[in-house]
Amino acid sequence: MARRPARVQVDPESIDSNERPPQTGNIFNIWYSKWSGGDSSDRNTQTHSKTRCNIERDSGYTKADKEQDPFFCLYFSRGACCLGKKCEYLHRLPKETDSWIPHTLDCFGREKFAEYRDDMGGVGNFNKINRTLFVGRINEMDDSIELKISKNFAEWGEIDRIRVIPTKNIAFVTYRNELNAQFAKEAMAHQSLDLDNENEILSVKWANEDPNPESKAKIEHEHNLRKLSVAKQLVEKLEKLKQYESEKRSAVTVEEPDKIEDFSPKRQKMIQPSPLTPAFFNGSLSVLSELKQKKAHPQKNQTLVEYSSDDSD
Amino acid sequence: MSELPATCNNCLGENPYVEMIQEKDGRECKICTRAFTSFLWYPKNGSSIFKQTDICLTCARARNACQSCLLDLKFKISPEMRDEILGTNKGLMEISPATISANNSKIAKIYKANQLERNFQDEDFRRTARGVLPEPRVPQVLETARDAVVRLTSSTISHKALSSTSKRNDRKHQLAKELSTLLNKLPFNGDLTIPKDPDIKSMFLFGITDELSSFRVQEYFREQFNSTLEATILNHRTRCGFVVFMNRNSAEAVAESILAGKRPEGPSLIVIDRVPIRVAWGKVCNLGLNNKDQVRLAQLVKRQLSILCKTTRIPKSSNTIAPTNPVTMTVSNPFANLNFSGTEL
């Protein structure tokens, strides 16, 4: 694909910062742009998203491509970034190579928590790698529902598997990569499976673990495989560490005689402790007292004057 | 007394004179929910991306983890993985860090964390009197890690063998007459001769296993036939699915290259990741509405596969089916993983 700048998804002129969603509560929170208080039936407060990301049309390079560890643009995933190539976040799909994102953050740089929210929405959990999304509030379950879901969710990354439960109007979508699941969660929230079907407002959340024993076994198998790869990497790392340590040890034994040759033989005798005695053996004390005596009477012995000056360095 | 964060070198960055912002009781620990002295710093000069400490020193110490990335300080892996692989952190302390779990109430978490902190203080007091305990040597850790690799390799292989051969109690659900309606919809006996209906641009697959991922099917069609798929629908419960092509022409091209000049005798065979799959033209339709129907359909697929296995003769060198795929080259009998005797049903 040719390099091209990211498209400006929304005209900056058209953004009204004072715009409020239809009133559904008593108090308006200007930070989250949401109403709170009053009758907060979830179904009434959700509105269909006005914009939708189109990866083919919108993705491109931004300022973030020059940075070293950038995050993805949240507004881009919702199809509402008004900055285009001036945006400081990435305007493209997450790939498997995007491994700099720490597991305490999601691909948009938002912090994860130790546990899921009660409604399984939000950023998610850093204790578990969850690649599966729950898709709820699907209006119609017709014959082509599997095709529709497959088409809609394949836009945001490689899909591992999809499971549709027609009797409950829900579906589960598993991505190959966790980052793609995070991206898809933002991209498909408040959207509809058919284009501009205002009646359908999908609710996309994190999926709980599948209680089916077969899939449980599969999850355990995957966990074991991951554990195996981590263990293999650990062995490699430790082998390097061991090699490094042994090299350090052998390097010390090699360097020692070279350095000692430079010293006078007398000094060598003094600083080298015997393997049986501790570093400060009694002999060194006697040498020190002897030196003090020699310093007091320097003229007595010429050879020992040299010796003392050598020691004072 | 000034505190210092316990962080790994990766998180600190390369700058040796990293500047940190300290805030007393600045944040809430993500594990034990107590306030702790937080630190914030920029690992790269001139970058707007910052790092900060997410968990308190006590929780970090209990896991031997970095306060920022929550990975093990020495091995840079998650502490849970480290404990599972190396068997560390067992019986180290009365209250293990694992007891502070997400299910605990807030009060329980705080109580346990305080208890841990007290344990650590006692330990520190004893250590200063006795001298620092020696760390486990690298060769020892390496030995345990090697053992873990051997153990895990054997366990993962045995699982794979089990999953492919283990048969659930299939006979619990008796084959019913309603299946015939489903059977009529799906082209189990179809083939890859180009259909008259010009709207059909999808193929019906059956015989997929639970391990086969959607993206693998897409990769297969991209690598083997150089065609991108519009959509793949895999219903793992019923063991069948559809691939939808971008347009009719590419679908026809793929059909021709699968047949490779031979006359079609029933559904053709393709092999993806050692899984033999039958392909025929078919319109996309709903695969089984409820659980029962799905199980029945899966049984039907199995029976159909075994019938096909008996009737169509596979040449000894099955390489002609997919000559370029290195995975299939090594498999002499593509049905080796699947146990269809045919007499079971």
Side-chain angles (χ1 to χ4, degrees):
Chain A
M1 201 178 78
R3 257 178 77 79
R4 53 152 195 214
R7 198 182 79 100
V8 178
Q9 289 169 308
V10 171
D11 183 14
E13 303 280 305
S14 68
I15 295 170
D16 177 15
S17 55
N18 293 322
E19 195 184 310
R20 292 179 179 191
Q23 182 166 1
T24 47
N26 299 328
I27 306 155
F28 185 70
N29 186 331
I30 54 166
W31 181 256
Y32 289 108
S33 177
K34 268 179 186 168
W35 289 95
S36 63
D39 175 32
S40 63
S41 164
D42 203 23
R43 202 167 283 270
N44 300 329
T45 58
Q46 308 281 325
T47 45
H48 192 275
S49 173
K50 282 175 197 156
T51 54
R52 182 174 164 150
C53 182
N54 183 336
I55 295 291
E56 289 240 322
R57 190 189 60 189
D58 296 346
S59 67
Y61 66 82
T62 57
K63 274 184 182 175
D65 284 277
K66 286 175 195 160
E67 293 226 12
Q68 254 180 325
D69 296 347
F71 292 110
F72 292 86
C73 183
L74 183 62
Y75 291 97
F76 167 72
S77 75
R78 290 170 179 167
C81 189
C82 63
L83 291 170
K85 68 174 180 182
K86 287 177 195 155
C87 186
E88 288 178 7
Y89 296 89
L90 291 173
H91 278 213
R92 60 169 174 86
L93 274 186
K95 282 183 285 199
E96 210 151 349
T97 47
D98 300 333
S99 54
W100 63 78
I101 290 160
H103 78 297
T104 50
L105 302 176
D106 78 343
C107 69
F108 306 108
R110 303 180 295 180
E111 280 180 48
K112 291 185 191 170
F113 299 91
E115 50 214 270
Y116 283 114
R117 259 165 55 167
D118 286 347
D119 65 352
M120 299 300 283
V123 179
N125 177 330
F126 58 70
N127 285 321
K128 215 163 63 179
I129 298 171
N130 198 343
R131 299 179 291 129
T132 308
L133 295 176
F134 161 91
V135 185
R137 285 197 211 142
I138 300 167
N139 265 8
E140 274 180 275
M141 278 289 179
D142 51 9
D143 259 11
S144 60
I145 186 70
E146 283 178 315
L147 181 66
K148 263 199 267 179
I149 290 176
S150 167
K151 270 188 192 170
N152 273 290
F153 282 85
E155 286 178 35
W156 321 112
E158 285 178 321
I159 283 176
D160 188 347
R161 60 198 57 221
I162 294 172
R163 184 162 138 68
V164 182
I165 302 172
T167 48
K168 290 180 179 169
N169 278 23
I170 57 170
F172 293 96
V173 182
T174 307
Y175 282 87
R176 185 184 190 179
N177 193 340
E178 193 196 1
L179 298 179
N180 287 108
Q182 290 164 356
F183 193 93
K185 186 174 172 295
E186 286 305 328
M188 283 310 286
H190 305 274
Q191 303 287 354
S192 48
L193 291 175
D194 298 308
L195 265 183
D196 297 327
N197 179 3
E198 294 279 333
N199 297 324
E200 189 175 55
I201 304 164
L202 292 182
S203 104
V204 186
K205 294 168 176 177
W206 293 108
N208 279 314
E209 247 171 57
D210 194 345
N212 182 16
E214 265 184 29
S215 61
K216 261 189 181 169
K218 194 173 174 289
I219 286 164
E220 205 192 320
H221 178 59
E222 273 174 11
H223 179 75
N224 276 338
L225 281 181
R226 203 159 50 236
K227 212 156 78 179
L228 180 63
S229 72
V230 169
K232 275 180 182 167
Q233 282 170 11
L234 189 66
V235 165
E236 271 175 34
K237 221 184 272 175
L238 284 167
E239 265 168 0
K240 265 184 206 162
L241 204 68
K242 195 183 168 189
Q243 208 181 344
Y244 171 73
E245 274 193 357
S246 65
E247 266 176 19
K248 213 165 66 178
R249 217 173 291 142
S250 61
V252 166
T253 50
V254 168
E255 277 173 23
E256 239 174 358
D258 289 333
K259 273 186 180 174
I260 283 161
E261 272 172 29
D262 297 341
F263 295 121
S264 64
K266 271 181 194 169
R267 183 179 161 78
Q268 191 192 338
K269 240 182 205 171
M270 203 190 120
I271 52 165
Q272 258 197 341
S274 79
L276 292 169
T277 48
F280 284 96
F281 55 106
N282 290 334
S284 64
L285 280 174
S286 65
V287 171
L288 275 174
S289 60
E290 210 177 307
L291 279 173
K292 270 184 185 171
Q293 269 188 11
K294 299 288 142 61
K295 261 189 181 173
H297 314 280
Q299 267 82 28
K300 270 191 175 175
N301 199 328
Q302 278 289 326
T303 51
L304 277 166
V305 172
E306 277 177 33
Y307 186 78
S308 65
S309 68
D310 187 29
D311 193 55
S312 64
D313 284 348
Chain B
M1 201 189 96
S2 70
E3 284 180 77
L4 281 174
T7 48
C8 61
N9 288 341
N10 283 5
C11 290
L12 282 176
E14 283 155 8
N15 182 8
Y17 304 108
V18 65
E19 199 173 85
M20 285 190 177
I21 299 161
Q22 180 187 20
E23 192 178 356
K24 195 163 184 289
D25 293 348
R27 302 189 73 207
E28 180 190 281
C29 170
K30 282 192 176 171
I31 291 168
C32 68
T33 69
R34 297 182 308 166
F36 71 102
T37 308
S38 69
F39 291 87
L40 187 147
W41 68 97
Y42 293 85
K44 282 194 187 75
N45 268 346
S47 164
S48 60
I49 290 162
F50 61 85
K51 297 223 176 205
Q52 54 185 345
T53 51
D54 279 347
I55 58 172
C56 69
L57 210 52
T58 311
C59 287
R61 189 173 163 181
R63 282 144 209 264
N64 190 33
C66 168
Q67 271 187 289
S68 176
C69 65
L70 314 191
L71 299 179
D72 185 89
L73 278 170
K74 195 165 185 184
F75 306 121
K76 311 277 187 296
I77 56 176
S78 82
E80 289 80 18
M81 280 281 185
R82 176 203 62 203
D83 292 350
E84 280 177 40
I85 292 166
L86 300 176
T88 49
N89 228 340
K90 263 180 208 156
L92 263 179
M93 50 203 89
E94 290 159 45
I95 296 165
S96 89
T99 53
I100 303 181
S101 66
N103 303 330
N104 285 132
S105 71
K106 200 169 174 177
I107 293 167
K109 278 180 198 168
I110 293 169
Y111 172 77
K112 282 174 179 173
N114 283 336
Q115 201 86 342
L116 261 178
E117 199 169 339
R118 223 166 296 144
N119 281 5
F120 282 136
Q121 276 167 2
D122 290 352
E123 211 175 297
D124 286 343
F125 183 71
R126 270 184 271 132
R127 263 190 201 181
T128 44
R130 221 176 9 172
V132 182
L133 288 171
E135 253 192 60
R137 315 292 271 124
V138 171
Q140 285 175 2
V141 182
L142 180 61
E143 212 48 44
T144 43
R146 277 218 184 101
D147 287 347
V149 168
V150 172
R151 196 183 65 227
L152 285 167
T153 316
S154 59
S155 72
T156 44
I157 287 170
S158 65
H159 170 86
K160 196 137 208 195
L162 268 176
S163 71
S164 56
T165 52
S166 72
K167 294 279 164 282
R168 280 185 303 142
N169 36 2
D170 282 348
R171 249 167 262 169
K172 220 163 78 180
H173 306 277
Q174 287 296 313
L175 291 174
K177 281 178 187 172
E178 295 112 72
L179 271 177
S180 58
T181 50
L182 262 171
L183 180 66
N184 287 339
K185 263 188 179 176
L186 298 170
F188 278 114
N189 290 318
D191 54 32
L192 283 179
T193 40
I194 286 151
K196 281 163 192 159
D197 186 353
D199 294 335
I200 295 178
K201 53 167 188 168
S202 58
M203 287 182 193
F204 177 62
L205 308 176
F206 60 104
I208 60 168
T209 57
D210 209 37
E211 280 85 28
L212 191 71
S213 305
S214 247
F215 63 83
R216 263 306 297 158
V217 176
Q218 295 215 335
E219 273 173 11
Y220 176 82
F221 276 95
R222 196 162 49 232
E223 283 164 16
Q224 294 287 312
F225 311 114
N226 196 20
S227 72
T228 41
L229 299 177
E230 190 182 344
T232 48
I233 304 162
L234 298 186
N235 195 321
H236 293 90
R237 298 220 163 177
T238 59
R239 302 190 58 189
C240 43
F242 293 95
V243 285
V244 186
F245 292 91
M246 281 299 193
N247 50 49
R248 171 77 174 201
N249 287 346
S250 68
E252 281 178 15
V254 169
E256 267 172 33
S257 51
I258 290 177
L259 286 173
K262 279 189 288 182
R263 261 207 10 249
E265 304 166 2
S268 296
L269 183 72
I270 57 169
V271 183
I272 307 175
D273 283 355
R274 305 189 181 197
V275 181
I277 293 163
R278 296 281 176 173
V279 199
W281 289 99
K283 244 184 180 172
V284 176
C285 64
N286 205 357
L287 296 166
L289 276 164
N290 53 39
N291 274 346
K292 248 186 185 172
D293 276 350
Q294 288 185 337
V295 172
R296 282 176 192 149
L297 193 55
Q299 285 176 333
L300 188 81
V301 168
K302 197 174 145 190
R303 195 179 63 180
Q304 194 67 22
L305 278 173
S306 64
I307 290 166
L308 284 168
C309 188
K310 270 191 275 183
T311 50
T312 52
R313 302 216 164 215
I314 304 158
K316 282 228 164 155
S317 58
S318 59
N319 294 352
T320 46
I321 298 156
T324 48
N325 192 341
V327 178
T328 52
M329 294 279 273
T330 56
V331 185
S332 55
N333 180 9
F335 292 96
N337 327 6
L338 289 164
N339 198 1
F340 304 128
S341 57
T343 49
E344 285 175 32
L345 289 152

